[in-house]
Amino acid sequence: MREQHQSVEDDIVIDTIEVVEREAKPPVVERAPEPKPIKTLKDKAPVTHVVGQTKVVAIINQKGGVGKSTTAINLSAALGELGKQVLLVDLDPQGNSSSGLGIEKSQVKNCVYDVLLSDVPIEDVIIPDVCEGLDLVPATINLAGAEVELVSEMARENRLKDAVGSLRGKYDYVFVDCPPSLGLLTVNALVAADKLLIPIQCEFYALEGVTKLLDSMKRVKSRLNPTLDIFGVLLTMYDGRTTLSKQVVEEVRGYFGKTVFSTLIPRTVKLSEAPSFGQPITQYDPAGKGAQSYMSLAKEVVQRG
Ligand SMILES: Nc1ncnc2c1ncn2[C@@H]1O[C@H](COP(=O)(O)OP(=O)(O)OP(=O)(O)O)[C@@H](O)[C@H]1O
Ligand SMILES: [Mg+2]
């Protein structure tokens, strides 16, 4: 609105500001959804496709914080969306895969600990359909005692292998989210697995500790699991703006060659936020770069067989 004010000295044009009062909107409060109900296998939706040969894949790297749990959750969920039947076994006392899929750990009665140490059948601890096509064997803090308690047990390295053996033919993929150590829990994963998926973070000293991991793999392969092999190496938290990330990609591809997946997992805020909403990235931000990259990884995994 413009008003013209005549004054003796001058013609001044004054802009008057129109104040429009709007109703204040309540602030948007993002809240995590309610925890998922703890179902049992008898509530599982019928499987409508013929399940292929089960592949047991341990997601492993004794280095902490490289993206094991993020990959376990999001790759499993992406494969479920592609129509595969997937089981994720949370083998880490931190239970990040369980909480990241919306399971309230205090509500879990029996967890993977009870399978490894109390002879509870694995079928009794499976929580079915935490996402489309995805079942979960949860971990609770009880699992923290397992490393020590397993030491005095008979056939202590074979516990997970024996449990997972009964599930062959029921799932296309069984993923195991390993803890950041090379203790007895990780050895159980190495013995139970057909293949290893090794996430490597694009950062300084990316390959640090890898030789030790490969030594453990070789030792288990020669004594307990002769067909164990690497399924793929996955570069995580890639930031295309930094030369460091590009150097790490080159270095890791130089070291591992074709085993490295073509898909690079970018560093995105959404991927780090999704677990606090108990959702995989394909639900939390389906159109974003994180979801696209884990979908692309899932397709590569299917292609590799
Ligand atoms: N691509 C990504 N972009 C952004 N943040 C990420 C990404 N991947 C993982 N993170 C974050 O980095 C941290 C470590 O990731 P994650 O828990 O998956 O690693 P981990 O290897 O399972 O760790 P741990 O060894 O403790 O089990 C988490 O806070 C996670 O949200
Ligand atoms: Mg983890």
Side-chain angles (χ1 to χ4, degrees), residues 155-202:
R156 57 193 186 179
E157 295 96 350
N158 292 308
R159 296 293 170 106
L160 185 64
K161 182 189 171 145
D162 295 345
V164 165
S166 66
L167 300 173
R168 288 201 182 262
K170 296 192 176 131
Y171 292 95
D172 296 294
Y173 297 95
V174 174
F175 290 103
V176 183
D177 182 15
C178 292
S181 77
L182 289 173
L184 265 175
L185 285 172
T186 299
V187 170
N188 262 269
L190 286 167
V191 174
D194 301 313
K195 302 270 177 186
L196 304 181
L197 192 160
I198 306 173
I200 292 185
Q201 185 183 344
C202 298

Side-chain angles (χ1 to χ4, degrees), residues 6-302:
Q6 295 285 350
S7 75
V8 196
E9 298 92 29
D10 218 336
D11 282 350
I12 309 167
V13 179
I14 299 174
D15 281 332
T16 56
I17 300 165
E18 203 178 345
V19 178
V20 181
E21 282 196 15
R22 289 201 183 87
E23 219 176 276
K25 277 191 192 157
V28 180
V29 183
E30 291 197 74
R31 267 195 306 132
E34 290 294 307
K36 292 182 180 142
I38 311 287
K39 293 186 283 184
T40 61
L41 259 191
K42 66 177 175 3
D43 306 312
K44 184 170 168 60
V47 179
T48 51
H49 76 284
V50 178
V51 169
Q53 210 187 4
T54 305
K55 180 165 273 165
V56 181
V57 180
I59 300 178
I60 194 167
N61 189 338
Q62 79 276 21
K63 205 166 175 189
V66 297
K68 293 182 288 293
S69 303
T70 305
T71 299
I73 293 168
N74 294 308
L75 173 59
S76 300
L79 283 162
E81 286 195 16
L82 290 177
K84 301 293 177 188
Q85 271 298 310
V86 185
L87 177 72
L88 173 52
V89 179
D90 191 349
L91 199 62
D92 185 350
Q94 298 178 95
N96 292 340
S97 278
S98 307
S99 49
L101 283 166
I103 297 303
E104 175 57 57
K105 285 177 273 177
S106 59
Q107 309 277 305
V108 172
K109 206 170 119 240
N110 284 330
C111 83
V112 67
Y113 169 88
D114 302 281
V115 175
L116 299 175
L117 281 142
S118 307
D119 290 328
V120 172
I122 195 163
E123 288 86 351
D124 291 0
V125 303
I126 290 176
I127 306 174
D129 305 319
V130 287
C131 290
E132 187 183 342
L134 174 58
D135 296 354
L136 173 76
V137 172
T140 66
I141 192 64
N142 290 351
L143 187 59
E147 288 282 1
V148 176
E149 290 170 47
L150 276 169
V151 172
S152 55
E153 294 284 320
M154 297 271 288
R156 57 193 186 179
E157 295 96 350
N158 292 308
R159 296 293 170 106
L160 185 64
K161 182 189 171 145
D162 295 345
V164 165
S166 66
L167 300 173
R168 288 201 182 262
K170 296 192 176 131
Y171 292 95
D172 296 294
Y173 297 95
V174 174
F175 290 103
V176 183
D177 182 15
C178 292
S181 77
L182 289 173
L184 265 175
L185 285 172
T186 299
V187 170
N188 262 269
L190 286 167
V191 174
D194 301 313
K195 302 270 177 186
L196 304 181
L197 192 160
I198 306 173
I200 292 185
Q201 185 183 344
C202 298
E203 46 127 37
F204 276 116
Y205 309 120
L207 285 168
E208 187 191 49
V210 162
T211 327
K212 216 166 163 206
L213 172 61
L214 297 181
D215 279 350
S216 297
M217 180 185 113
K218 279 183 204 143
R219 239 176 298 127
V220 170
K221 194 175 156 95
S222 68
R223 291 192 298 122
L224 296 159
N225 187 2
T227 54
L228 181 64
D229 221 336
I230 297 178
F231 184 52
V233 172
L234 177 68
L235 288 152
T236 63
M237 295 182 237
Y238 175 79
D239 183 348
R241 295 165 305 180
T242 66
T243 36
L244 173 65
S245 268
K246 289 177 189 147
Q247 281 166 356
V248 172
V249 172
E250 239 173 73
E251 192 188 357
V252 172
R253 290 207 165 124
Y255 189 87
F256 283 104
K258 285 210 174 93
T259 33
V260 182
F261 289 108
S262 320
T263 305
L264 300 172
I265 305 299
R267 180 185 282 282
T268 77
V269 173
K270 295 280 185 195
L271 274 170
S272 62
E273 284 173 354
S276 52
F277 289 83
Q279 290 177 329
I281 196 68
T282 41
Q283 281 174 21
Y284 181 65
D285 182 35
K289 273 195 307 179
Q292 281 167 13
S293 60
Y294 274 107
M295 266 298 170
S296 145
L297 175 66
K299 286 175 190 158
E300 264 195 82
V301 163
V302 173

